[in-house]
Amino acid sequence: MSDAYILVVDDEPDIRMLLRDVLEDEGYQVALAGSVAEAKAQRRSRRPDAILLDVWMPDGDGVSLLKEWQEDEGAMCPVVMISGHGNVESAVDATRLGAYDFIEKPLTIDKLLITLNNALEAARLQRENTGLRRQVAPVADPVGSSAVMVNLRDQVQRMAQHDTWVLITGEPGAGKQTFARMLHARSARRESPFIVVSVGSMSGDEAVAELFGSEQGERVRYGLLEQASGGVLYLDEVAEMDLQTQARLLHALDTGRITRIGGDQPISVNVRVVAATQHDLGEAVEQGLFREDLYYRLNVLPLNVPPLREHAVDIPELLDYHMRQLHQQEGLPQRTFQRPALECLQQYPWPGNVRELRNLVQRLMILGSGDEITRDEVDRTLSGQPRRAEEESAEGVVTIPDLPLREAREQFEREYLMQQLERSEGNMTRLAERVGLERTHLYRKFKALGIDPRRVKSDG
């Protein structure tokens, strides 16, 4: 990440200048601050990718400043503390507050560069693990050997060589975000963030704050546009964005500058927009629901992802891929599909597309038994009847599973919520309405049951 933006905070001018020269020679962008006040101003004006922070300064100390910054939502980046007065207590305080490392003066340039590079890499991996790029492994190409998929991957490869906006269309669950991630991974922005904006889950006022950030006194909340700076902003279901936010977003991206809510200083941003929708944006423009200028700006490079039923030849490969991936990621037992089961799945229309396929595989791995998956098991799972036929008595009464009450209840709740999430197309607002739970309670329930709703959404 040689083009990263580094903020150097040190009260000694000679050290600031030395670090600036060294870091610029390494390809970094550098800002300097000689005091706590200057550090706050620099950080407010632009979100750094990493900070080199001195412990002692004329108007305060770095440890207290680090603690203050930790309280800002979405704002933290790796911080490397530097000091000529280093001691064990300061090092412990700094690392406890989240500093990546602590280096004493006189500085060894080689050590500092290695530490800084490691800090930036650690931050990149953390973004992946916490969902800012929503990947836990290197981005895999969309799966499938059909002519349809080969052609789509070729289109994306060519689009990746340019920095133009992209509009991806297709049914829910068809794999729009998967292609967007491939585009990002093949582009010159691949080392920078891939930030997902779930437009459908935000109201107008909430969308503005999420996208543009806010300022309140000394507190700074960096918006998703700043977090995506240098990388890709993925607008999931862009058709659901309200007109006011559309206008503000278009102006910001056209000018390359934003102003945070409550702030008065323009902030430079540099992002590539990749938008996705299941709707016809041209029709939305005619109905006055979507800005025509934004539509034409988005539609420079269109990409349509077909539904799974139009490339059913890829289904066996997709089943095998998700079976192996779930085994590796979640430790679920691998199983194999009997031929009649495969034939059944290739004839199934897949209204939920690839997302539904992955969810089906996950259910078969969690709730099924035996090494092989039969046609009967597939039929029952597709019809929403998870119980095995052997569990039904001659009178047609379902036998109660031989499980403690808590485990039986959790099994039912997990299956129920996964099916409802699929039917809600991964939209948490619709899901909350469907199941009659507050969204906060719903997220707690997901966590308790070990369900990651982002994985269900990731194939959209």
mmCIF file of all heavy atoms in Angstrom, residues 403-436:
data_model
loop_
_atom_site.group_PDB
_atom_site.id
_atom_site.type_symbol
_atom_site.label_atom_id
_atom_site.label_comp_id
_atom_site.label_asym_id
_atom_site.label_seq_id
_atom_site.Cartn_x
_atom_site.Cartn_y
_atom_site.Cartn_z
ATOM 1 N N LEU A 403 -33.307 -34.555 21.326
ATOM 2 C CA LEU A 403 -32.404 -33.461 21.693
ATOM 3 C C LEU A 403 -32.939 -32.782 22.944
ATOM 4 O O LEU A 403 -34.152 -32.772 23.186
ATOM 5 C CB LEU A 403 -32.321 -32.417 20.568
ATOM 6 C CG LEU A 403 -31.625 -32.805 19.272
ATOM 7 C CD1 LEU A 403 -31.840 -31.712 18.233
ATOM 8 C CD2 LEU A 403 -30.128 -33.027 19.495
ATOM 9 N N PRO A 404 -32.050 -32.186 23.746
ATOM 10 C CA PRO A 404 -32.532 -31.346 24.842
ATOM 11 C C PRO A 404 -33.373 -30.201 24.287
ATOM 12 O O PRO A 404 -33.193 -29.780 23.136
ATOM 13 C CB PRO A 404 -31.232 -30.824 25.482
ATOM 14 C CG PRO A 404 -30.182 -31.798 25.075
ATOM 15 C CD PRO A 404 -30.580 -32.289 23.731
ATOM 16 N N LEU A 405 -34.291 -29.689 25.110
ATOM 17 C CA LEU A 405 -35.215 -28.652 24.658
ATOM 18 C C LEU A 405 -34.485 -27.456 24.057
ATOM 19 O O LEU A 405 -34.859 -26.944 22.995
ATOM 20 C CB LEU A 405 -36.090 -28.199 25.833
ATOM 21 C CG LEU A 405 -37.051 -27.031 25.540
ATOM 22 C CD1 LEU A 405 -38.021 -27.400 24.431
ATOM 23 C CD2 LEU A 405 -37.781 -26.613 26.804
ATOM 24 N N ARG A 406 -33.416 -27.020 24.726
ATOM 25 C CA ARG A 406 -32.699 -25.834 24.237
ATOM 26 C C ARG A 406 -32.113 -26.071 22.857
ATOM 27 O O ARG A 406 -32.231 -25.225 21.968
ATOM 28 C CB ARG A 406 -31.596 -25.463 25.228
ATOM 29 C CG ARG A 406 -30.777 -24.259 24.794
ATOM 30 C CD ARG A 406 -29.671 -23.948 25.782
ATOM 31 N NE ARG A 406 -28.816 -22.882 25.324
ATOM 32 C CZ ARG A 406 -27.728 -22.468 25.961
ATOM 33 N NH1 ARG A 406 -27.377 -23.039 27.100
ATOM 34 N NH2 ARG A 406 -27.003 -21.483 25.480
ATOM 35 N N GLU A 407 -31.484 -27.228 22.645
ATOM 36 C CA GLU A 407 -30.867 -27.504 21.350
ATOM 37 C C GLU A 407 -31.927 -27.649 20.261
ATOM 38 O O GLU A 407 -31.729 -27.210 19.122
ATOM 39 C CB GLU A 407 -30.005 -28.761 21.438
ATOM 40 C CG GLU A 407 -28.763 -28.586 22.303
ATOM 41 C CD GLU A 407 -27.906 -29.847 22.317
ATOM 42 O OE1 GLU A 407 -28.013 -30.651 21.376
ATOM 43 O OE2 GLU A 407 -27.133 -30.024 23.284
ATOM 44 N N ALA A 408 -33.055 -28.307 20.601
ATOM 45 C CA ALA A 408 -34.127 -28.456 19.615
ATOM 46 C C ALA A 408 -34.685 -27.095 19.214
ATOM 47 O O ALA A 408 -34.945 -26.831 18.039
ATOM 48 C CB ALA A 408 -35.229 -29.341 20.189
ATOM 49 N N ARG A 409 -34.870 -26.212 20.202
ATOM 50 C CA ARG A 409 -35.392 -24.871 19.913
ATOM 51 C C ARG A 409 -34.406 -24.081 19.042
ATOM 52 O O ARG A 409 -34.806 -23.407 18.093
ATOM 53 C CB ARG A 409 -35.662 -24.124 21.220
ATOM 54 C CG ARG A 409 -36.298 -22.745 20.998
ATOM 55 C CD ARG A 409 -36.680 -22.078 22.303
ATOM 56 N NE ARG A 409 -35.515 -21.824 23.135
ATOM 57 C CZ ARG A 409 -35.292 -22.388 24.316
ATOM 58 N NH1 ARG A 409 -36.171 -23.254 24.815
ATOM 59 N NH2 ARG A 409 -34.218 -22.107 25.017
ATOM 60 N N GLU A 410 -33.111 -24.160 19.382
ATOM 61 C CA GLU A 410 -32.104 -23.451 18.593
ATOM 62 C C GLU A 410 -32.046 -23.983 17.170
ATOM 63 O O GLU A 410 -31.874 -23.219 16.211
ATOM 64 C CB GLU A 410 -30.731 -23.573 19.268
ATOM 65 C CG GLU A 410 -30.593 -22.745 20.535
ATOM 66 C CD GLU A 410 -29.223 -22.888 21.167
ATOM 67 O OE1 GLU A 410 -28.444 -23.756 20.694
ATOM 68 O OE2 GLU A 410 -28.927 -22.148 22.122
ATOM 69 N N GLN A 411 -32.193 -25.303 17.007
ATOM 70 C CA GLN A 411 -32.183 -25.884 15.663
ATOM 71 C C GLN A 411 -33.339 -25.344 14.835
ATOM 72 O O GLN A 411 -33.174 -24.962 13.673
ATOM 73 C CB GLN A 411 -32.257 -27.407 15.754
ATOM 74 C CG GLN A 411 -32.323 -28.110 14.396
ATOM 75 C CD GLN A 411 -32.302 -29.610 14.539
ATOM 76 O OE1 GLN A 411 -31.355 -30.179 15.059
ATOM 77 N NE2 GLN A 411 -33.355 -30.276 14.087
ATOM 78 N N PHE A 412 -34.525 -25.297 15.454
ATOM 79 C CA PHE A 412 -35.690 -24.767 14.744
ATOM 80 C C PHE A 412 -35.503 -23.281 14.409
ATOM 81 O O PHE A 412 -35.769 -22.845 13.280
ATOM 82 C CB PHE A 412 -36.951 -24.948 15.595
ATOM 83 C CG PHE A 412 -38.135 -24.177 15.050
ATOM 84 C CD1 PHE A 412 -38.847 -24.645 13.958
ATOM 85 C CD2 PHE A 412 -38.508 -22.962 15.623
ATOM 86 C CE1 PHE A 412 -39.922 -23.928 13.448
ATOM 87 C CE2 PHE A 412 -39.581 -22.249 15.112
ATOM 88 C CZ PHE A 412 -40.290 -22.730 14.022
ATOM 89 N N GLU A 413 -35.043 -22.486 15.391
ATOM 90 C CA GLU A 413 -34.881 -21.052 15.160
ATOM 91 C C GLU A 413 -33.851 -20.778 14.073
ATOM 92 O O GLU A 413 -34.042 -19.876 13.247
ATOM 93 C CB GLU A 413 -34.464 -20.360 16.465
ATOM 94 C CG GLU A 413 -35.571 -20.271 17.499
ATOM 95 C CD GLU A 413 -35.135 -19.512 18.744
ATOM 96 O OE1 GLU A 413 -33.911 -19.353 18.940
ATOM 97 O OE2 GLU A 413 -36.008 -19.097 19.524
ATOM 98 N N ARG A 414 -32.770 -21.529 14.066
ATOM 99 C CA ARG A 414 -31.731 -21.329 13.050
ATOM 100 C C ARG A 414 -32.293 -21.597 11.658
ATOM 101 O O ARG A 414 -32.114 -20.805 10.725
ATOM 102 C CB ARG A 414 -30.538 -22.241 13.338
ATOM 103 C CG ARG A 414 -29.343 -22.018 12.406
ATOM 104 C CD ARG A 414 -28.195 -22.941 12.753
ATOM 105 N NE ARG A 414 -27.654 -22.656 14.071
ATOM 106 C CZ ARG A 414 -27.824 -23.431 15.133
ATOM 107 N NH1 ARG A 414 -28.536 -24.551 15.034
ATOM 108 N NH2 ARG A 414 -27.292 -23.110 16.292
ATOM 109 N N GLU A 415 -32.984 -22.725 11.521
ATOM 110 C CA GLU A 415 -33.566 -23.076 10.225
ATOM 111 C C GLU A 415 -34.625 -22.050 9.805
ATOM 112 O O GLU A 415 -34.663 -21.599 8.662
ATOM 113 C CB GLU A 415 -34.187 -24.476 10.311
ATOM 114 C CG GLU A 415 -34.941 -24.915 9.066
ATOM 115 C CD GLU A 415 -34.024 -25.252 7.914
ATOM 116 O OE1 GLU A 415 -32.798 -25.345 8.133
ATOM 117 O OE2 GLU A 415 -34.532 -25.405 6.785
ATOM 118 N N TYR A 416 -35.474 -21.674 10.748
ATOM 119 C CA TYR A 416 -36.541 -20.718 10.462
ATOM 120 C C TYR A 416 -35.980 -19.375 9.994
ATOM 121 O O TYR A 416 -36.404 -18.820 8.975
ATOM 122 C CB TYR A 416 -37.389 -20.519 11.710
ATOM 123 C CG TYR A 416 -38.399 -19.387 11.624
ATOM 124 C CD1 TYR A 416 -39.571 -19.517 10.897
ATOM 125 C CD2 TYR A 416 -38.155 -18.177 12.281
ATOM 126 C CE1 TYR A 416 -40.488 -18.473 10.818
ATOM 127 C CE2 TYR A 416 -39.057 -17.139 12.205
ATOM 128 C CZ TYR A 416 -40.227 -17.290 11.477
ATOM 129 O OH TYR A 416 -41.116 -16.251 11.396
ATOM 130 N N LEU A 417 -34.993 -18.838 10.709
ATOM 131 C CA LEU A 417 -34.448 -17.522 10.372
ATOM 132 C C LEU A 417 -33.671 -17.551 9.067
ATOM 133 O O LEU A 417 -33.698 -16.586 8.291
ATOM 134 C CB LEU A 417 -33.561 -17.017 11.514
ATOM 135 C CG LEU A 417 -34.324 -16.565 12.767
ATOM 136 C CD1 LEU A 417 -33.353 -16.246 13.898
ATOM 137 C CD2 LEU A 417 -35.204 -15.358 12.469
ATOM 138 N N MET A 418 -32.964 -18.652 8.794
ATOM 139 C CA MET A 418 -32.232 -18.739 7.529
ATOM 140 C C MET A 418 -33.206 -18.749 6.351
ATOM 141 O O MET A 418 -32.968 -18.100 5.325
ATOM 142 C CB MET A 418 -31.351 -19.983 7.524
ATOM 143 C CG MET A 418 -30.121 -19.868 8.427
ATOM 144 S SD MET A 418 -29.164 -21.398 8.540
ATOM 145 C CE MET A 418 -28.584 -21.561 6.870
ATOM 146 N N GLN A 419 -34.321 -19.463 6.489
ATOM 147 C CA GLN A 419 -35.308 -19.479 5.412
ATOM 148 C C GLN A 419 -35.968 -18.113 5.248
ATOM 149 O O GLN A 419 -36.173 -17.634 4.123
ATOM 150 C CB GLN A 419 -36.363 -20.549 5.690
ATOM 151 C CG GLN A 419 -35.863 -21.972 5.517
ATOM 152 C CD GLN A 419 -36.994 -22.987 5.537
ATOM 153 O OE1 GLN A 419 -38.155 -22.634 5.350
ATOM 154 N NE2 GLN A 419 -36.661 -24.247 5.769
ATOM 155 N N GLN A 420 -36.300 -17.471 6.369
ATOM 156 C CA GLN A 420 -36.933 -16.159 6.283
ATOM 157 C C GLN A 420 -35.980 -15.106 5.714
ATOM 158 O O GLN A 420 -36.402 -14.202 4.972
ATOM 159 C CB GLN A 420 -37.434 -15.721 7.666
ATOM 160 C CG GLN A 420 -38.550 -16.582 8.235
ATOM 161 C CD GLN A 420 -39.797 -16.552 7.377
ATOM 162 O OE1 GLN A 420 -40.071 -15.575 6.682
ATOM 163 N NE2 GLN A 420 -40.570 -17.627 7.410
ATOM 164 N N LEU A 421 -34.693 -15.203 6.043
ATOM 165 C CA LEU A 421 -33.700 -14.274 5.497
ATOM 166 C C LEU A 421 -33.585 -14.442 3.992
ATOM 167 O O LEU A 421 -33.474 -13.468 3.248
ATOM 168 C CB LEU A 421 -32.342 -14.512 6.171
ATOM 169 C CG LEU A 421 -31.204 -13.554 5.797
ATOM 170 C CD1 LEU A 421 -31.571 -12.122 6.154
ATOM 171 C CD2 LEU A 421 -29.929 -13.951 6.502
ATOM 172 N N GLU A 422 -33.643 -15.693 3.553
ATOM 173 C CA GLU A 422 -33.604 -15.966 2.118
ATOM 174 C C GLU A 422 -34.826 -15.383 1.422
ATOM 175 O O GLU A 422 -34.713 -14.748 0.363
ATOM 176 C CB GLU A 422 -33.540 -17.476 1.916
ATOM 177 C CG GLU A 422 -33.476 -17.920 0.463
ATOM 178 C CD GLU A 422 -33.423 -19.432 0.369
ATOM 179 O OE1 GLU A 422 -32.564 -20.033 1.039
ATOM 180 O OE2 GLU A 422 -34.253 -20.001 -0.364
ATOM 181 N N ARG A 423 -36.010 -15.562 2.031
ATOM 182 C CA ARG A 423 -37.236 -15.042 1.429
ATOM 183 C C ARG A 423 -37.271 -13.516 1.455
ATOM 184 O O ARG A 423 -37.956 -12.896 0.632
ATOM 185 C CB ARG A 423 -38.448 -15.605 2.165
ATOM 186 C CG ARG A 423 -38.635 -17.105 1.943
ATOM 187 C CD ARG A 423 -39.669 -17.693 2.877
ATOM 188 N NE ARG A 423 -39.765 -19.137 2.717
ATOM 189 C CZ ARG A 423 -40.449 -19.941 3.520
ATOM 190 N NH1 ARG A 423 -41.100 -19.424 4.562
ATOM 191 N NH2 ARG A 423 -40.476 -21.238 3.307
ATOM 192 N N SER A 424 -36.541 -12.903 2.388
ATOM 193 C CA SER A 424 -36.448 -11.439 2.461
ATOM 194 C C SER A 424 -35.328 -10.901 1.598
ATOM 195 O O SER A 424 -35.029 -9.709 1.643
ATOM 196 C CB SER A 424 -36.220 -10.999 3.923
ATOM 197 O OG SER A 424 -37.247 -11.461 4.762
ATOM 198 N N GLU A 425 -34.679 -11.801 0.818
ATOM 199 C CA GLU A 425 -33.619 -11.417 -0.119
ATOM 200 C C GLU A 425 -32.468 -10.726 0.583
ATOM 201 O O GLU A 425 -31.827 -9.821 0.044
ATOM 202 C CB GLU A 425 -34.189 -10.529 -1.231
ATOM 203 C CG GLU A 425 -35.293 -11.209 -2.033
ATOM 204 C CD GLU A 425 -35.956 -10.300 -3.043
ATOM 205 O OE1 GLU A 425 -35.695 -9.075 -3.002
ATOM 206 O OE2 GLU A 425 -36.720 -10.817 -3.864
ATOM 207 N N GLY A 426 -32.206 -11.157 1.830
ATOM 208 C CA GLY A 426 -31.077 -10.608 2.561
ATOM 209 C C GLY A 426 -31.305 -9.231 3.147
ATOM 210 O O GLY A 426 -30.396 -8.654 3.733
ATOM 211 N N ASN A 427 -32.516 -8.682 3.010
ATOM 212 C CA ASN A 427 -32.817 -7.329 3.500
ATOM 213 C C ASN A 427 -33.270 -7.417 4.960
ATOM 214 O O ASN A 427 -34.323 -7.990 5.262
ATOM 215 C CB ASN A 427 -33.905 -6.688 2.637
ATOM 216 C CG ASN A 427 -34.165 -5.250 3.007
ATOM 217 O OD1 ASN A 427 -34.617 -4.949 4.100
ATOM 218 N ND2 ASN A 427 -33.861 -4.349 2.079
ATOM 219 N N MET A 428 -32.473 -6.834 5.873
ATOM 220 C CA MET A 428 -32.752 -6.965 7.297
ATOM 221 C C MET A 428 -34.027 -6.229 7.718
ATOM 222 O O MET A 428 -34.717 -6.652 8.636
ATOM 223 C CB MET A 428 -31.551 -6.454 8.097
ATOM 224 C CG MET A 428 -30.306 -7.315 7.927
ATOM 225 S SD MET A 428 -30.546 -9.010 8.503
ATOM 226 C CE MET A 428 -30.657 -8.740 10.271
ATOM 227 N N THR A 429 -34.334 -5.129 7.055
ATOM 228 C CA THR A 429 -35.555 -4.403 7.392
ATOM 229 C C THR A 429 -36.782 -5.243 7.073
ATOM 230 O O THR A 429 -37.711 -5.367 7.892
ATOM 231 C CB THR A 429 -35.619 -3.075 6.617
ATOM 232 O OG1 THR A 429 -34.472 -2.280 6.964
ATOM 233 C CG2 THR A 429 -36.873 -2.302 6.960
ATOM 234 N N ARG A 430 -36.799 -5.834 5.868
ATOM 235 C CA ARG A 430 -37.926 -6.697 5.493
ATOM 236 C C ARG A 430 -37.999 -7.926 6.393
ATOM 237 O O ARG A 430 -39.078 -8.383 6.752
ATOM 238 C CB ARG A 430 -37.810 -7.098 4.027
ATOM 239 C CG ARG A 430 -38.091 -5.958 3.057
ATOM 240 C CD ARG A 430 -38.433 -6.462 1.680
ATOM 241 N NE ARG A 430 -37.280 -7.066 1.019
ATOM 242 C CZ ARG A 430 -36.448 -6.402 0.231
ATOM 243 N NH1 ARG A 430 -36.650 -5.107 0.018
ATOM 244 N NH2 ARG A 430 -35.425 -7.001 -0.336
ATOM 245 N N LEU A 431 -36.832 -8.462 6.753
ATOM 246 C CA LEU A 431 -36.821 -9.641 7.618
ATOM 247 C C LEU A 431 -37.425 -9.314 8.981
ATOM 248 O O LEU A 431 -38.212 -10.093 9.518
ATOM 249 C CB LEU A 431 -35.391 -10.162 7.777
ATOM 250 C CG LEU A 431 -35.216 -11.331 8.754
ATOM 251 C CD1 LEU A 431 -35.979 -12.557 8.257
ATOM 252 C CD2 LEU A 431 -33.740 -11.662 8.945
ATOM 253 N N ALA A 432 -37.036 -8.183 9.556
ATOM 254 C CA ALA A 432 -37.559 -7.793 10.866
ATOM 255 C C ALA A 432 -39.078 -7.669 10.839
ATOM 256 O O ALA A 432 -39.774 -8.096 11.766
ATOM 257 C CB ALA A 432 -36.922 -6.470 11.305
ATOM 258 N N GLU A 433 -39.606 -7.090 9.749
ATOM 259 C CA GLU A 433 -41.053 -6.978 9.622
ATOM 260 C C GLU A 433 -41.703 -8.357 9.469
ATOM 261 O O GLU A 433 -42.764 -8.624 10.034
ATOM 262 C CB GLU A 433 -41.399 -6.101 8.412
ATOM 263 C CG GLU A 433 -40.970 -4.643 8.577
ATOM 264 C CD GLU A 433 -41.167 -3.843 7.310
ATOM 265 O OE1 GLU A 433 -41.524 -4.456 6.272
ATOM 266 O OE2 GLU A 433 -40.951 -2.617 7.334
ATOM 267 N N ARG A 434 -41.049 -9.227 8.708
ATOM 268 C CA ARG A 434 -41.610 -10.553 8.433
ATOM 269 C C ARG A 434 -41.710 -11.398 9.696
ATOM 270 O O ARG A 434 -42.705 -12.090 9.919
ATOM 271 C CB ARG A 434 -40.755 -11.261 7.377
ATOM 272 C CG ARG A 434 -41.231 -12.674 7.030
ATOM 273 C CD ARG A 434 -40.248 -13.339 6.062
ATOM 274 N NE ARG A 434 -40.395 -12.799 4.731
ATOM 275 C CZ ARG A 434 -41.218 -13.292 3.811
ATOM 276 N NH1 ARG A 434 -41.995 -14.327 4.107
ATOM 277 N NH2 ARG A 434 -41.281 -12.766 2.611
ATOM 278 N N VAL A 435 -40.663 -11.364 10.539
ATOM 279 C CA VAL A 435 -40.628 -12.242 11.709
ATOM 280 C C VAL A 435 -41.130 -11.550 12.971
ATOM 281 O O VAL A 435 -41.267 -12.190 14.022
ATOM 282 C CB VAL A 435 -39.212 -12.802 11.955
ATOM 283 C CG1 VAL A 435 -38.719 -13.557 10.733
ATOM 284 C CG2 VAL A 435 -38.225 -11.702 12.339
ATOM 285 N N GLY A 436 -41.383 -10.220 12.901
ATOM 286 C CA GLY A 436 -41.949 -9.511 14.035
ATOM 287 C C GLY A 436 -40.965 -9.253 15.162
ATOM 288 O O GLY A 436 -41.348 -9.267 16.338
#
